[in-house]
Amino acid sequence: MVNITREQLLQFMKEKDSLEADLKALSDVLRSQGVGMDDSLVDGEGYPRADIDVYQVRHARHSIRTKTTDLKQIMQKIEAGLANIHAQAREGIGLETNMDQGLSLDTSSDSRNSQRSPFARVLVVCTGSPAEEAGIKQGDLITQFGSVDNSNFSS
């Protein structure tokens, strides 16, 4: 399995948002014509309906079908990407090289503090957030947060 980066996942999400916006616009085209995906485009005598723009409706229907397929594919990529990123975090990919960045949010100095191993890695720190103000950076390792540590944390 190829490791997915956060940036790739965010790009997939942008593509998903774009597809959803396109689908909404295309649905609005059908709604403006007063037809749905399955309404007949011919009258009772088999002639194209005169009350709608048949070309526009056919084009919108085709685009909806293709974009729906594209949306399903991108959603599968997002699902796999999220699972991959969480698996990377669980497996500690990058933990070995970043052990010196370990972060304990507990300031007590009992003998266990030096023995703790990280149970979480910071993936994102938003600008202006309390975490940023506290000096937490992307990639930092969390060894303890309050009473939570690797012995009582489960993901």
Side-chain angles (χ1 to χ4, degrees), residues 103-108 113 116-120 122 130-131 134 136 141-153:
L103 176 66
S104 175
L105 299 179
D106 178 17
T107 57
S108 66
N113 240 4
R116 292 199 182 111
S117 60
F119 67 92
V122 177
I136 297 175
L141 303 175
I142 307 299
T143 58
Q144 183 171 356
F145 185 79
S147 62
V148 178
D149 61 20
N150 67 341
S151 66
N152 61 6
F153 176 79

mmCIF file of all heavy atoms in Angstrom, residues 103-108 113 116-120 122 130-131 134 136 141-153:
data_model
loop_
_atom_site.group_PDB
_atom_site.id
_atom_site.type_symbol
_atom_site.label_atom_id
_atom_site.label_comp_id
_atom_site.label_asym_id
_atom_site.label_seq_id
_atom_site.Cartn_x
_atom_site.Cartn_y
_atom_site.Cartn_z
ATOM 1 N N LEU A 103 6.754 15.076 23.251
ATOM 2 C CA LEU A 103 6.154 16.171 23.998
ATOM 3 C C LEU A 103 5.310 15.595 25.103
ATOM 4 O O LEU A 103 4.426 14.791 24.854
ATOM 5 C CB LEU A 103 5.278 17.002 23.054
ATOM 6 C CG LEU A 103 4.487 18.140 23.682
ATOM 7 C CD1 LEU A 103 5.436 19.195 24.212
ATOM 8 C CD2 LEU A 103 3.545 18.734 22.674
ATOM 9 N N SER A 104 5.588 15.961 26.315
ATOM 10 C CA SER A 104 4.749 15.562 27.423
ATOM 11 C C SER A 104 4.048 16.800 27.923
ATOM 12 O O SER A 104 4.684 17.787 28.266
ATOM 13 C CB SER A 104 5.592 14.947 28.546
ATOM 14 O OG SER A 104 4.760 14.668 29.651
ATOM 15 N N LEU A 105 2.733 16.743 27.965
ATOM 16 C CA LEU A 105 1.978 17.891 28.434
ATOM 17 C C LEU A 105 1.794 17.858 29.938
ATOM 18 O O LEU A 105 1.163 18.724 30.497
ATOM 19 C CB LEU A 105 0.624 17.946 27.711
ATOM 20 C CG LEU A 105 0.737 18.103 26.197
ATOM 21 C CD1 LEU A 105 -0.635 18.125 25.572
ATOM 22 C CD2 LEU A 105 1.501 19.349 25.850
ATOM 23 N N ASP A 106 2.340 16.842 30.576
ATOM 24 C CA ASP A 106 2.313 16.745 32.021
ATOM 25 C C ASP A 106 3.665 17.240 32.531
ATOM 26 O O ASP A 106 4.700 16.736 32.127
ATOM 27 C CB ASP A 106 2.086 15.286 32.435
ATOM 28 C CG ASP A 106 2.084 15.112 33.944
ATOM 29 O OD1 ASP A 106 1.937 16.117 34.657
ATOM 30 O OD2 ASP A 106 2.236 13.963 34.393
ATOM 31 N N THR A 107 3.651 18.202 33.429
ATOM 32 C CA THR A 107 4.919 18.779 33.892
ATOM 33 C C THR A 107 5.440 18.120 35.162
ATOM 34 O O THR A 107 6.458 18.537 35.686
ATOM 35 C CB THR A 107 4.743 20.289 34.153
ATOM 36 O OG1 THR A 107 3.701 20.469 35.105
ATOM 37 C CG2 THR A 107 4.431 21.012 32.860
ATOM 38 N N SER A 108 4.738 17.108 35.667
ATOM 39 C CA SER A 108 5.236 16.434 36.864
ATOM 40 C C SER A 108 6.521 15.701 36.523
ATOM 41 O O SER A 108 6.734 15.262 35.403
ATOM 42 C CB SER A 108 4.194 15.455 37.414
ATOM 43 O OG SER A 108 3.982 14.398 36.505
ATOM 44 N N ASN A 113 8.244 9.558 33.914
ATOM 45 C CA ASN A 113 8.256 10.533 32.816
ATOM 46 C C ASN A 113 9.308 10.203 31.774
ATOM 47 O O ASN A 113 9.076 10.341 30.591
ATOM 48 C CB ASN A 113 8.489 11.937 33.359
ATOM 49 C CG ASN A 113 7.347 12.868 33.042
ATOM 50 O OD1 ASN A 113 6.339 12.460 32.471
ATOM 51 N ND2 ASN A 113 7.505 14.112 33.417
ATOM 52 N N ARG A 116 8.265 6.985 29.424
ATOM 53 C CA ARG A 116 7.059 6.986 28.604
ATOM 54 C C ARG A 116 7.391 6.943 27.127
ATOM 55 O O ARG A 116 8.312 7.594 26.653
ATOM 56 C CB ARG A 116 6.214 8.214 28.896
ATOM 57 C CG ARG A 116 5.629 8.169 30.273
ATOM 58 C CD ARG A 116 4.470 9.112 30.365
ATOM 59 N NE ARG A 116 3.964 9.076 31.717
ATOM 60 C CZ ARG A 116 4.055 10.065 32.567
ATOM 61 N NH1 ARG A 116 4.575 11.207 32.197
ATOM 62 N NH2 ARG A 116 3.590 9.954 33.781
ATOM 63 N N SER A 117 6.543 6.213 26.384
ATOM 64 C CA SER A 117 6.663 6.235 24.927
ATOM 65 C C SER A 117 5.448 6.973 24.370
ATOM 66 O O SER A 117 4.385 6.976 24.978
ATOM 67 C CB SER A 117 6.764 4.826 24.363
ATOM 68 O OG SER A 117 5.615 4.088 24.704
ATOM 69 N N PRO A 118 5.596 7.601 23.237
ATOM 70 C CA PRO A 118 4.498 8.399 22.681
ATOM 71 C C PRO A 118 3.311 7.528 22.275
ATOM 72 O O PRO A 118 3.476 6.390 21.856
ATOM 73 C CB PRO A 118 5.108 9.077 21.465
ATOM 74 C CG PRO A 118 6.465 8.542 21.297
ATOM 75 C CD PRO A 118 6.791 7.663 22.424
ATOM 76 N N PHE A 119 2.109 8.089 22.411
ATOM 77 C CA PHE A 119 0.905 7.387 21.987
ATOM 78 C C PHE A 119 0.185 8.143 20.879
ATOM 79 O O PHE A 119 -0.754 7.625 20.296
ATOM 80 C CB PHE A 119 -0.050 7.139 23.164
ATOM 81 C CG PHE A 119 -0.652 8.385 23.746
ATOM 82 C CD1 PHE A 119 -1.877 8.859 23.291
ATOM 83 C CD2 PHE A 119 -0.006 9.085 24.745
ATOM 84 C CE1 PHE A 119 -2.434 9.999 23.824
ATOM 85 C CE2 PHE A 119 -0.558 10.227 25.286
ATOM 86 C CZ PHE A 119 -1.775 10.685 24.822
ATOM 87 N N ALA A 120 0.655 9.343 20.565
ATOM 88 C CA ALA A 120 0.016 10.121 19.502
ATOM 89 C C ALA A 120 1.047 11.051 18.881
ATOM 90 O O ALA A 120 2.025 11.435 19.522
ATOM 91 C CB ALA A 120 -1.147 10.937 20.064
ATOM 92 N N VAL A 122 1.191 14.676 16.564
ATOM 93 C CA VAL A 122 0.423 15.836 16.122
ATOM 94 C C VAL A 122 0.512 15.910 14.605
ATOM 95 O O VAL A 122 1.595 16.022 14.044
ATOM 96 C CB VAL A 122 0.960 17.133 16.765
ATOM 97 C CG1 VAL A 122 0.205 18.334 16.245
ATOM 98 C CG2 VAL A 122 0.888 17.043 18.284
ATOM 99 N N PRO A 130 -4.887 27.436 20.311
ATOM 100 C CA PRO A 130 -4.206 27.311 21.606
ATOM 101 C C PRO A 130 -2.984 26.395 21.528
ATOM 102 O O PRO A 130 -1.994 26.632 22.207
ATOM 103 C CB PRO A 130 -5.280 26.729 22.526
ATOM 104 C CG PRO A 130 -6.575 27.150 21.911
ATOM 105 C CD PRO A 130 -6.321 27.149 20.433
ATOM 106 N N ALA A 131 -3.060 25.366 20.686
ATOM 107 C CA ALA A 131 -1.918 24.467 20.537
ATOM 108 C C ALA A 131 -0.714 25.215 19.973
ATOM 109 O O ALA A 131 0.410 25.044 20.447
ATOM 110 C CB ALA A 131 -2.286 23.292 19.633
ATOM 111 N N ALA A 134 0.799 27.367 22.526
ATOM 112 C CA ALA A 134 1.542 26.608 23.528
ATOM 113 C C ALA A 134 2.872 26.090 22.984
ATOM 114 O O ALA A 134 3.656 25.505 23.717
ATOM 115 C CB ALA A 134 0.705 25.434 24.018
ATOM 116 N N ILE A 136 3.189 23.873 20.382
ATOM 117 C CA ILE A 136 3.088 22.544 19.781
ATOM 118 C C ILE A 136 3.226 22.697 18.274
ATOM 119 O O ILE A 136 2.660 23.596 17.669
ATOM 120 C CB ILE A 136 1.758 21.872 20.151
ATOM 121 C CG1 ILE A 136 1.692 21.665 21.672
ATOM 122 C CG2 ILE A 136 1.572 20.560 19.414
ATOM 123 C CD1 ILE A 136 0.373 21.127 22.173
ATOM 124 N N LEU A 141 5.402 14.585 19.278
ATOM 125 C CA LEU A 141 4.880 13.349 19.831
ATOM 126 C C LEU A 141 4.309 13.618 21.210
ATOM 127 O O LEU A 141 4.912 14.330 22.013
ATOM 128 C CB LEU A 141 5.980 12.298 19.905
ATOM 129 C CG LEU A 141 6.652 11.985 18.564
ATOM 130 C CD1 LEU A 141 7.809 11.027 18.764
ATOM 131 C CD2 LEU A 141 5.640 11.422 17.592
ATOM 132 N N ILE A 142 3.167 13.034 21.484
ATOM 133 C CA ILE A 142 2.504 13.221 22.773
ATOM 134 C C ILE A 142 2.753 11.981 23.619
ATOM 135 O O ILE A 142 2.396 10.865 23.231
ATOM 136 C CB ILE A 142 0.981 13.434 22.592
ATOM 137 C CG1 ILE A 142 0.690 14.556 21.591
ATOM 138 C CG2 ILE A 142 0.312 13.681 23.939
ATOM 139 C CD1 ILE A 142 1.218 15.908 21.982
ATOM 140 N N THR A 143 3.380 12.170 24.771
ATOM 141 C CA THR A 143 3.624 11.051 25.679
ATOM 142 C C THR A 143 2.596 11.009 26.801
ATOM 143 O O THR A 143 2.335 9.948 27.343
ATOM 144 C CB THR A 143 5.033 11.138 26.287
ATOM 145 O OG1 THR A 143 5.158 12.385 26.966
ATOM 146 C CG2 THR A 143 6.094 11.027 25.204
ATOM 147 N N GLN A 144 2.035 12.155 27.134
ATOM 148 C CA GLN A 144 0.995 12.208 28.157
ATOM 149 C C GLN A 144 0.175 13.469 27.969
ATOM 150 O O GLN A 144 0.710 14.520 27.628
ATOM 151 C CB GLN A 144 1.606 12.212 29.562
ATOM 152 C CG GLN A 144 0.538 12.200 30.646
ATOM 153 C CD GLN A 144 1.123 11.977 32.021
ATOM 154 O OE1 GLN A 144 2.322 11.755 32.168
ATOM 155 N NE2 GLN A 144 0.284 12.030 33.022
ATOM 156 N N PHE A 145 -1.131 13.325 28.179
ATOM 157 C CA PHE A 145 -2.037 14.465 28.119
ATOM 158 C C PHE A 145 -2.965 14.325 29.311
ATOM 159 O O PHE A 145 -3.858 13.471 29.323
ATOM 160 C CB PHE A 145 -2.825 14.475 26.807
ATOM 161 C CG PHE A 145 -3.687 15.696 26.648
ATOM 162 C CD1 PHE A 145 -3.153 16.895 26.247
ATOM 163 C CD2 PHE A 145 -5.045 15.628 26.924
ATOM 164 C CE1 PHE A 145 -3.941 18.019 26.096
ATOM 165 C CE2 PHE A 145 -5.845 16.749 26.784
ATOM 166 C CZ PHE A 145 -5.298 17.949 26.372
ATOM 167 N N GLY A 146 -2.715 15.130 30.333
ATOM 168 C CA GLY A 146 -3.478 14.966 31.577
ATOM 169 C C GLY A 146 -3.185 13.601 32.165
ATOM 170 O O GLY A 146 -2.039 13.235 32.371
ATOM 171 N N SER A 147 -4.229 12.809 32.365
ATOM 172 C CA SER A 147 -4.033 11.470 32.916
ATOM 173 C C SER A 147 -3.912 10.407 31.822
ATOM 174 O O SER A 147 -3.732 9.228 32.115
ATOM 175 C CB SER A 147 -5.199 11.112 33.840
ATOM 176 O OG SER A 147 -6.409 11.087 33.102
ATOM 177 N N VAL A 148 -3.988 10.813 30.572
ATOM 178 C CA VAL A 148 -3.939 9.871 29.462
ATOM 179 C C VAL A 148 -2.495 9.678 29.023
ATOM 180 O O VAL A 148 -1.758 10.629 28.810
ATOM 181 C CB VAL A 148 -4.777 10.375 28.260
ATOM 182 C CG1 VAL A 148 -4.685 9.400 27.098
ATOM 183 C CG2 VAL A 148 -6.212 10.595 28.673
ATOM 184 N N ASP A 149 -2.072 8.399 28.924
ATOM 185 C CA ASP A 149 -0.772 8.060 28.377
ATOM 186 C C ASP A 149 -0.906 6.779 27.565
ATOM 187 O O ASP A 149 -2.009 6.292 27.364
ATOM 188 C CB ASP A 149 0.292 7.951 29.477
ATOM 189 C CG ASP A 149 -0.016 6.868 30.501
ATOM 190 O OD1 ASP A 149 -0.816 5.959 30.208
ATOM 191 O OD2 ASP A 149 0.554 6.941 31.602
ATOM 192 N N ASN A 150 0.221 6.211 27.120
ATOM 193 C CA ASN A 150 0.124 5.049 26.243
ATOM 194 C C ASN A 150 -0.424 3.811 26.936
ATOM 195 O O ASN A 150 -0.906 2.899 26.280
ATOM 196 C CB ASN A 150 1.476 4.746 25.580
ATOM 197 C CG ASN A 150 2.512 4.291 26.578
ATOM 198 O OD1 ASN A 150 2.380 4.515 27.762
ATOM 199 N ND2 ASN A 150 3.573 3.674 26.072
ATOM 200 N N SER A 151 -0.425 3.769 28.250
ATOM 201 C CA SER A 151 -0.945 2.596 28.954
ATOM 202 C C SER A 151 -2.479 2.584 29.018
ATOM 203 O O SER A 151 -3.082 1.525 29.130
ATOM 204 C CB SER A 151 -0.383 2.529 30.374
ATOM 205 O OG SER A 151 -0.868 3.636 31.137
ATOM 206 N N ASN A 152 -3.117 3.757 28.935
ATOM 207 C CA ASN A 152 -4.593 3.777 29.018
ATOM 208 C C ASN A 152 -5.257 4.403 27.809
ATOM 209 O O ASN A 152 -6.441 4.666 27.831
ATOM 210 C CB ASN A 152 -5.039 4.481 30.298
ATOM 211 C CG ASN A 152 -4.591 5.928 30.364
ATOM 212 O OD1 ASN A 152 -4.045 6.464 29.428
ATOM 213 N ND2 ASN A 152 -4.807 6.545 31.519
ATOM 214 N N PHE A 153 -4.492 4.629 26.746
ATOM 215 C CA PHE A 153 -5.048 5.210 25.529
ATOM 216 C C PHE A 153 -5.306 4.108 24.522
ATOM 217 O O PHE A 153 -4.492 3.230 24.315
ATOM 218 C CB PHE A 153 -4.068 6.222 24.922
ATOM 219 C CG PHE A 153 -4.534 6.795 23.603
ATOM 220 C CD1 PHE A 153 -5.481 7.791 23.571
ATOM 221 C CD2 PHE A 153 -4.034 6.312 22.406
ATOM 222 C CE1 PHE A 153 -5.919 8.322 22.375
ATOM 223 C CE2 PHE A 153 -4.453 6.835 21.200
ATOM 224 C CZ PHE A 153 -5.402 7.843 21.191
#
